[in-house]
Amino acid sequence: MTNGNGTPIEAAAPPQFNVLAQYTKDLSFENPNAPASLAPQAQQPAINIQINVSANNVGENEYEVILLIEGKAENAGKLMFGFDLAYAGVFRILNAPKESLHPLIMIECPRLLFPFAREIIARSIRDGGFPPLMLDPVDFVGLYRQNMERQAAAAQAASGKPS
């Protein structure tokens, strides 16, 4: 029996997935209306969070994956706080099937980075004088599918073909 490439299954090396490094690439926190924003508020602030993932090939079988998380809290039209975090990791991926490589990079890598990014954000907001913001878990599979659908729609629109 072969793996589809003519290589016997027994001879194929098993996939390997290693985290080589994790680091804060960029972090910004702003509290522009302090100390007034730290006073008790009559209502809960509106919190808006945006999450994106990007990846770069940085070496043979090595990929830098960047988890970008941006957010802000507003109350009565005033910014209470805002933050931007780019948290990254370098991953080595060996012997993964070619069709699995992109989803692995864009789903599993950010899933591993997220708890660390979540802690950095919670600590930054707490250190800014607010209760820590504990981000809900992220469905990286759903985010990946949305991005793939958006890219397919953009490619279709660029080609001029109706849907």
Side-chain angles (χ1 to χ4, degrees):
M1 184 172 238
T2 67
N3 69 359
N5 296 331
T7 306
I9 292 178
E10 309 81 49
Q16 292 181 11
F17 181 81
N18 303 99
V19 181
L20 302 180
Q22 288 182 216
Y23 47 93
T24 299
K25 199 165 178 92
D26 186 31
L27 173 63
S28 171
F29 176 82
E30 64 177 307
N31 187 356
N33 295 306
S37 61
L38 301 175
Q41 304 293 315
Q43 62 185 26
Q44 290 289 327
I47 298 176
N48 183 18
I49 308 286
Q50 297 291 320
I51 299 176
N52 289 299
V53 178
S54 66
N56 307 302
N57 189 304
V58 294
E60 187 176 346
N61 302 312
E62 294 180 3
Y63 305 87
E64 178 189 50
V65 177
I66 305 168
L67 181 58
L68 302 157
I69 305 175
E70 300 174 20
K72 63 181 178 177
E74 295 178 310
N75 201 347
K78 285 195 168 197
L79 181 65
M80 295 181 70
F81 64 81
F83 64 87
D84 295 304
L85 173 65
Y87 190 74
V90 176
F91 299 85
R92 179 179 296 135
I93 303 170
L94 300 169
N95 308 320
K98 194 168 193 160
E99 65 276 1
S100 300
L101 189 58
H102 192 257
L104 183 63
I105 291 168
M106 300 303 283
I107 297 170
E108 293 306 319
C109 294
R111 190 184 322 229
L112 289 172
L113 295 172
F114 181 75
F116 300 95
R118 181 180 189 239
E119 175 61 27
I120 291 167
I121 290 167
R123 191 173 42 238
S124 296
I125 292 170
R126 184 197 65 219
D127 290 350
F130 298 95
L133 175 63
M134 301 308 287
L135 298 176
D136 290 333
V138 174
D139 176 11
F140 286 103
V141 173
L143 184 62
Y144 177 76
R145 287 181 182 151
Q146 285 176 349
N147 286 335
M148 295 306 290
E149 288 170 5
R150 187 173 29 243
Q151 288 175 9
Q156 191 174 38
S159 70
K161 293 181 182 176
S163 41

